[in-house]
Amino acid sequence: MTLIFAHRGSSKYAPENTMAAFRKALEQHADGIELDVQLTKDKIPVIIHDESLKRTTGVKGLVGEYTYDEIRCLDAGKWFSAKFKYERIPSLEEFLIWMKPTTLKLNIEFKNNILPYYGMEKIVYDLVQEHGLEDRLIYSSFNHYSLKEMKKFDPNIDIAPLYSSGLYEPWNYVKSLPAESAHPHWRTLNQFMLNGFKEHEIRVRPYTINDPKRMKWLFENKIDAIITDVPDIAFDVRSGLHA
Ligand code: G3P
Ligand code: MG
Protein backbone atom coordinates (compact mmCIF):
# COMPACT_ATOMS: atom_id res chain seq x y z
CA MET A 1 0.00 0.00 0.00
CA THR A 2 1.25 3.48 -0.87
CA LEU A 3 2.26 5.39 2.26
CA ILE A 4 1.19 8.96 2.95
CA PHE A 5 3.82 11.41 4.22
CA ALA A 6 2.64 14.77 5.51
CA HIS A 7 4.72 17.53 3.92
CA ARG A 8 6.12 19.80 6.67
CA GLY A 9 3.38 18.16 8.76
CA SER A 10 -0.23 18.69 7.80
CA SER A 11 0.74 22.06 6.41
CA LYS A 12 -2.55 23.02 4.82
CA TYR A 13 -4.23 23.06 8.24
CA ALA A 14 -1.52 24.23 10.62
CA PRO A 15 1.72 26.22 10.32
CA GLU A 16 4.33 24.16 8.49
CA ASN A 17 7.07 22.42 10.45
CA THR A 18 5.49 23.05 13.86
CA MET A 19 4.33 20.52 16.45
CA ALA A 20 0.74 21.59 15.68
CA ALA A 21 1.22 20.50 12.05
CA PHE A 22 2.80 17.21 13.14
CA ARG A 23 0.02 16.43 15.62
CA LYS A 24 -2.54 17.19 12.92
CA ALA A 25 -0.83 14.78 10.52
CA LEU A 26 -1.01 12.00 13.09
CA GLU A 27 -4.68 12.77 13.75
CA GLN A 28 -5.35 12.61 9.97
CA HIS A 29 -3.79 9.13 9.73
CA ALA A 30 -0.58 10.04 7.91
CA ASP A 31 1.89 7.15 7.86
CA GLY A 32 4.86 9.45 8.04
CA ILE A 33 6.07 13.01 8.24
CA GLU A 34 8.44 14.95 6.01
CA LEU A 35 10.23 17.87 7.68
CA ASP A 36 13.14 20.20 6.94
CA VAL A 37 16.21 20.43 9.18
CA GLN A 38 18.84 23.17 9.58
CA LEU A 39 21.37 24.02 12.30
CA THR A 40 21.30 26.94 14.72
CA LYS A 41 24.44 28.96 15.46
CA ASP A 42 25.19 26.57 18.35
CA LYS A 43 24.65 23.55 16.06
CA ILE A 44 21.28 22.35 17.33
CA PRO A 45 19.15 20.75 14.57
CA VAL A 46 15.87 22.65 14.25
CA ILE A 47 12.85 22.15 12.01
CA ILE A 48 12.31 24.96 9.54
CA HIS A 49 12.08 25.20 5.75
CA ASP A 50 13.52 28.61 4.78
CA GLU A 51 17.12 29.60 5.51
CA SER A 52 15.73 33.02 6.46
CA LEU A 53 13.53 33.42 9.54
CA LYS A 54 11.49 36.19 7.95
CA ARG A 55 8.54 34.39 6.35
CA THR A 56 7.48 32.21 9.28
CA THR A 57 8.62 34.30 12.29
CA GLY A 58 8.80 37.87 10.97
CA VAL A 59 12.36 38.21 12.31
CA LYS A 60 15.30 39.34 10.17
CA GLY A 61 18.29 37.07 9.64
CA LEU A 62 19.21 33.46 8.99
CA VAL A 63 18.59 30.36 11.12
CA GLY A 64 22.34 29.87 11.49
CA GLU A 65 22.82 33.36 12.93
CA TYR A 66 20.75 32.64 16.04
CA THR A 67 21.36 30.32 18.97
CA TYR A 68 18.78 27.69 19.87
CA ASP A 69 17.69 29.68 22.95
CA GLU A 70 17.10 32.74 20.76
CA ILE A 71 15.22 30.69 18.14
CA ARG A 72 12.95 29.26 20.86
CA CYS A 73 11.66 32.74 21.68
CA LEU A 74 10.29 33.26 18.17
CA ASP A 75 6.67 32.76 17.21
CA ALA A 76 6.39 30.40 14.22
CA GLY A 77 2.60 30.17 14.15
CA LYS A 78 0.97 33.54 14.05
CA TRP A 79 1.94 34.23 10.40
CA PHE A 80 -0.42 31.34 9.58
CA SER A 81 -3.28 32.29 11.89
CA ALA A 82 -3.81 33.90 15.30
CA LYS A 83 -5.03 30.51 16.53
CA PHE A 84 -1.46 29.16 16.32
CA LYS A 85 0.30 32.13 17.84
CA TYR A 86 2.30 30.22 20.45
CA GLU A 87 3.81 27.65 18.09
CA ARG A 88 7.60 27.43 18.22
CA ILE A 89 10.30 26.28 15.82
CA PRO A 90 10.75 22.73 17.14
CA SER A 91 14.11 21.15 17.72
CA LEU A 92 14.59 17.85 15.92
CA GLU A 93 15.08 16.18 19.31
CA GLU A 94 11.72 17.43 20.57
CA PHE A 95 10.13 15.94 17.48
CA LEU A 96 11.91 12.58 17.87
CA ILE A 97 10.77 12.27 21.48
CA TRP A 98 7.19 13.00 20.39
CA MET A 99 7.22 10.56 17.46
CA LYS A 100 8.81 7.65 19.33
CA PRO A 101 5.60 6.19 20.88
CA THR A 102 3.68 6.59 17.58
CA THR A 103 4.09 4.36 14.51
CA LEU A 104 5.02 7.30 12.30
CA LYS A 105 7.89 7.08 9.85
CA LEU A 106 10.08 10.11 9.33
CA ASN A 107 11.60 11.73 6.27
CA ILE A 108 14.27 14.21 7.34
CA GLU A 109 15.14 16.61 4.56
CA PHE A 110 18.53 18.25 5.04
CA LYS A 111 17.95 21.83 4.01
CA ASN A 112 21.53 22.50 3.02
CA ASN A 113 21.39 23.00 -0.72
CA ILE A 114 21.67 26.81 -0.46
CA LEU A 115 23.69 27.36 2.73
CA PRO A 116 26.12 24.74 4.02
CA TYR A 117 25.84 23.40 7.57
CA TYR A 118 29.14 21.70 8.26
CA GLY A 119 28.73 18.52 10.28
CA MET A 120 24.93 18.47 10.18
CA GLU A 121 24.74 14.91 8.84
CA LYS A 122 26.68 13.40 11.77
CA ILE A 123 24.84 15.49 14.37
CA VAL A 124 21.48 14.31 13.02
CA TYR A 125 22.62 10.71 12.58
CA ASP A 126 23.81 10.57 16.21
CA LEU A 127 20.56 12.06 17.49
CA VAL A 128 18.43 9.55 15.61
CA GLN A 129 20.62 6.70 16.92
CA GLU A 130 20.40 8.02 20.45
CA HIS A 131 16.62 7.80 20.28
CA GLY A 132 16.66 4.37 18.61
CA LEU A 133 14.66 5.51 15.59
CA GLU A 134 17.02 4.55 12.76
CA ASP A 135 14.63 1.91 11.34
CA ARG A 136 11.89 4.50 10.77
CA LEU A 137 14.04 7.05 8.95
CA ILE A 138 14.47 8.22 5.37
CA TYR A 139 16.94 11.00 4.61
CA SER A 140 16.44 13.24 1.60
CA SER A 141 18.11 16.36 0.25
CA PHE A 142 18.65 18.40 -2.88
CA ASN A 143 22.30 18.25 -1.77
CA HIS A 144 23.24 14.75 -2.83
CA TYR A 145 26.75 15.01 -1.37
CA SER A 146 25.07 15.23 1.99
CA LEU A 147 23.23 11.96 1.34
CA LYS A 148 26.49 10.27 0.33
CA GLU A 149 27.87 11.36 3.69
CA MET A 150 25.04 9.50 5.47
CA LYS A 151 25.93 6.26 3.69
CA LYS A 152 29.40 6.49 5.28
CA PHE A 153 27.85 6.16 8.74
CA ASP A 154 25.68 3.21 7.71
CA PRO A 155 25.43 1.75 4.19
CA ASN A 156 21.89 0.52 4.93
CA ILE A 157 20.47 4.00 5.51
CA ASP A 158 17.62 4.86 3.16
CA ILE A 159 18.73 7.98 1.28
CA ALA A 160 16.56 9.64 -1.33
CA PRO A 161 17.88 12.32 -3.70
CA LEU A 162 15.36 15.11 -4.28
CA TYR A 163 15.16 16.59 -7.78
CA SER A 164 12.79 18.79 -9.71
CA SER A 165 13.77 18.62 -13.38
CA GLY A 166 13.70 16.06 -16.16
CA LEU A 167 16.68 13.84 -15.41
CA TYR A 168 17.48 11.28 -18.09
CA GLU A 169 16.81 7.75 -16.79
CA PRO A 170 16.91 8.93 -13.16
CA TRP A 171 17.01 5.32 -11.87
CA ASN A 172 20.57 5.03 -13.23
CA TYR A 173 21.60 8.20 -11.44
CA VAL A 174 19.97 7.04 -8.21
CA LYS A 175 21.79 3.71 -8.39
CA SER A 176 25.10 5.46 -9.05
CA LEU A 177 25.04 7.25 -5.67
CA PRO A 178 24.22 4.47 -4.61
CA ALA A 179 20.67 4.97 -3.35
CA GLU A 180 17.53 2.86 -3.45
CA SER A 181 14.95 5.67 -3.32
CA ALA A 182 14.11 8.85 -5.24
CA HIS A 183 12.02 11.86 -4.24
CA PRO A 184 11.13 13.61 -7.53
CA HIS A 185 8.90 16.61 -8.07
CA TRP A 186 5.56 15.27 -9.34
CA ARG A 187 5.88 17.20 -12.62
CA THR A 188 8.81 15.00 -13.66
CA LEU A 189 6.68 11.84 -13.46
CA ASN A 190 4.76 10.10 -16.22
CA GLN A 191 3.94 6.47 -16.87
CA PHE A 192 7.34 5.88 -18.50
CA MET A 193 9.10 7.19 -15.40
CA LEU A 194 6.98 5.12 -13.02
CA ASN A 195 7.63 1.98 -15.08
CA GLY A 196 11.36 2.69 -15.22
CA PHE A 197 11.63 3.10 -11.46
CA LYS A 198 9.63 -0.07 -10.91
CA GLU A 199 11.74 -2.08 -13.31
CA HIS A 200 14.91 -0.89 -11.59
CA GLU A 201 13.43 -1.47 -8.11
CA ILE A 202 13.87 2.11 -6.96
CA ARG A 203 11.39 3.32 -4.33
CA VAL A 204 9.63 6.52 -5.41
CA ARG A 205 8.04 9.10 -3.12
CA PRO A 206 7.13 12.20 -5.13
CA TYR A 207 6.32 15.64 -3.71
CA THR A 208 4.00 17.54 -3.31
CA ILE A 209 0.82 15.73 -4.33
CA ASN A 210 -2.29 17.66 -3.36
CA ASP A 211 -4.57 16.86 -6.29
CA PRO A 212 -6.86 13.85 -5.64
CA LYS A 213 -6.74 12.73 -9.31
CA ARG A 214 -2.94 12.66 -9.24
CA MET A 215 -3.04 10.81 -5.91
CA LYS A 216 -5.33 8.19 -7.40
CA TRP A 217 -3.03 7.64 -10.38
CA LEU A 218 -0.04 7.20 -8.09
CA PHE A 219 -1.91 4.89 -5.71
CA GLU A 220 -3.09 2.77 -8.65
CA ASN A 221 0.53 2.51 -9.78
CA LYS A 222 1.39 1.27 -6.29
CA ILE A 223 4.24 3.70 -5.81
CA ASP A 224 5.89 3.57 -2.42
CA ALA A 225 4.66 6.84 -0.94
CA ILE A 226 3.43 10.32 -1.70
CA ILE A 227 4.36 13.51 0.13
CA THR A 228 1.35 15.79 0.58
CA ASP A 229 0.15 18.92 2.40
CA VAL A 230 -3.28 17.28 2.77
CA PRO A 231 -2.90 13.80 4.31
CA ASP A 232 -6.64 13.74 5.13
CA ILE A 233 -7.55 13.92 1.42
CA ALA A 234 -4.89 11.35 0.51
CA PHE A 235 -6.23 9.02 3.21
CA ASP A 236 -9.78 9.29 1.81
CA VAL A 237 -8.62 8.67 -1.76
CA ARG A 238 -6.59 5.66 -0.70
CA SER A 239 -9.41 4.27 1.45
CA GLY A 240 -11.76 4.62 -1.55
CA LEU A 241 -9.45 2.46 -3.66
CA HIS A 242 -9.12 -0.21 -0.99
CA ALA A 243 -12.81 -0.24 -0.02
O1 G3P B 1 10.91 16.65 0.56
C1 G3P B 1 9.97 17.08 -0.38
C2 G3P B 1 9.86 18.57 -0.41
O2 G3P B 1 9.74 19.04 0.90
C3 G3P B 1 11.02 19.22 -1.09
O3 G3P B 1 10.86 20.58 -1.26
O4 G3P B 1 11.08 22.95 -0.71
O5 G3P B 1 9.10 21.69 0.12
O6 G3P B 1 11.35 21.27 1.10
P1 G3P B 1 10.58 21.65 -0.13
MG1 MG C 1 11.04 19.60 2.49
Side-chain angles (χ1 to χ4, degrees), residues 40-42 46 53 57 59 62-75 88-89:
T40 61
K41 190 176 176 180
D42 45 349
V46 286
L53 292 163
T57 71
V59 168
L62 303 173
V63 176
E65 292 170 343
Y66 288 77
T67 63
Y68 177 63
D69 286 349
E70 288 164 342
I71 292 255
R72 284 305 282 189
C73 298
L74 307 179
D75 188 317
R88 301 286 152 201
I89 295 174

Side-chain angles (χ1 to χ4, degrees), residues 7-8 17 34-36 49 107 109 111 140 142 162:
H7 180 237
R8 313 181 193 174
N17 285 327
E34 184 268 1
L35 51 78
D36 306 293
H49 179 272
N107 172 197
E109 180 187 344
K111 209 38 116 181
S140 64
F142 288 101
L162 279 158

Side-chain angles (χ1 to χ4, degrees), residues 7 22 68 70 78 102 129 137 160 216 219-220 228 236:
H7 180 237
F22 305 141
Y68 177 63
E70 288 164 342
K78 75 171 184 273
T102 72
Q129 289 282 116
L137 257 286
K216 188 165 176 277
F219 291 154
E220 284 170 350
T228 177
D236 287 349

Side-chain angles (χ1 to χ4, degrees), residues 167-214:
L167 294 185
Y168 179 72
E169 298 187 345
W171 41 87
N172 288 332
Y173 173 69
V174 171
K175 282 186 186 172
S176 76
L177 282 173
E180 296 81 33
S181 302
H183 287 189
H185 189 281
W186 65 264
R187 273 198 205 91
T188 67
L189 293 181
N190 53 31
Q191 197 63 51
F192 170 77
M193 284 292 168
L194 294 190
N195 295 347
F197 279 122
K198 192 171 283 177
E199 191 184 321
H200 290 265
E201 297 181 349
I202 301 294
R203 295 185 284 264
V204 194
R205 308 182 195 95
Y207 69 96
T208 306
I209 319 292
N210 294 336
D211 171 18
K213 282 203 201 89
R214 198 164 294 123

